[in-house]
Amino acid sequence: MSARILVIEDNPANLELMTYLLEAYGYSPEVATDGEKGLAAARRERPDLIICDIQLPGASGFDVARQIKADPALATVPLVAVTAFAMVGDREKVLAGGFDRYIPKPIDPETFVVQVEESLRQTSQAVRVSPPLKTGSDISSTVGSRSTVLATILVVDNSPVNLDLTRSTLEPLGYEVIAVSRIAEALDQARCAIPDLILSDVNMTEGDGFEFLRQ
């Protein structure tokens, strides 16, 4: 079985991104949206790793860390802080507060799972079932050795975050990604490049995916 990961985060966008990335690599994370629910889930699920925001409603991330480390059944579970704190000394403050690792926001899709798995290796209970995430050097050597890409994928989405996430997920696997935010540009690219696959959002500011499909 895969490692059990608990994610405690009250921001819906951050929570969605972290769970998406973890699920993409074979994990089925448990989620909680505030400190009290996170503590209850930790005691109930006994996870192999806990990822916790610092600024939470109710019990803060520091409160969660304090209670986790005081619980003999959970004290050895790696505890990872995910926070937007960026001032000098914040990292030291987070580690002194009981966390074992610090991952800054905004989340970097290319390195997030690598950082999580480094923390998982601190416990012998963690068992991997998905293939290891490639590092930058692995990606360069693998992609550079190919005479052709696996396939060309046209991605149409007016959200820069979604475009960046899709590109950072697919390109390391050997796909060429053409990312565009407007339907008119997407049509031009589709006619010019003839992609092997098109991934399109439905709700966009200039028209919609159904109009794109019709054209």
Side-chain angles (χ1 to χ4, degrees), residues 10 36 60 64 81 108 119 127 130 137 143-144 161 168 183 188:
D10 67 313
E36 294 297 337
S60 71
V64 171
D108 183 350
S119 299
V127 179
S130 60
S137 58
V143 176
V161 173
S168 65
I183 290 176
D188 289 341

Side-chain angles (χ1 to χ4, degrees), residues 127-203:
V127 179
R128 285 285 289 135
V129 296
S130 60
L133 182 64
K134 290 182 172 66
T135 63
S137 58
D138 293 333
I139 293 167
S140 298
S141 61
T142 302
V143 176
S145 65
R146 293 194 180 99
S147 58
T148 59
V149 297
L150 293 179
T152 298
I153 301 175
L154 172 63
V155 182
V156 190
D157 199 308
N158 66 328
S159 167
V161 173
N162 290 339
L163 288 177
D164 288 343
L165 176 59
T166 305
R167 182 187 290 109
S168 65
T169 302
L170 294 175
E171 286 183 343
L173 301 177
Y175 297 99
E176 178 185 10
V177 176
I178 302 172
V180 298
S181 59
R182 298 174 60 251
I183 290 176
E185 185 181 1
L187 288 168
D188 289 341
Q189 289 289 346
R191 291 163 180 151
C192 177
I194 313 295
D196 300 293
L197 176 74
I198 299 174
L199 300 178
S200 177
D201 189 14
V202 172
N203 298 312

Side-chain angles (χ1 to χ4, degrees), residues 6 14-15 45 55 59 70 72 75 81 85 87 99 105 113 119-120 131 134 140 146-147 163 171 195-196:
L6 170 62
N14 290 332
L15 182 60
E45 301 295 332
Q55 296 176 305
F85 288 177
M87 299 296 290
F99 289 91
K105 291 180 182 178
V113 177
S119 299
L120 272 171
K134 290 182 172 66
S140 298
R146 293 194 180 99
S147 58
L163 288 177
E171 286 183 343
D196 300 293

Side-chain angles (χ1 to χ4, degrees), residues 8-10 33-39 50 52-68 79 81-82 85 93 97 99:
I8 309 173
E9 170 65 72
D10 67 313
T33 54
D34 63 47
E36 294 297 337
K37 291 177 182 177
L39 286 167
I50 299 172
C52 185
D53 188 20
I54 296 295
Q55 296 176 305
L56 293 167
S60 71
F62 290 115
D63 294 329
V64 171
R66 187 162 48 250
Q67 295 192 51
I68 290 294
L79 187 57
V82 180
F85 288 177
K93 179 181 177 182
F99 289 91

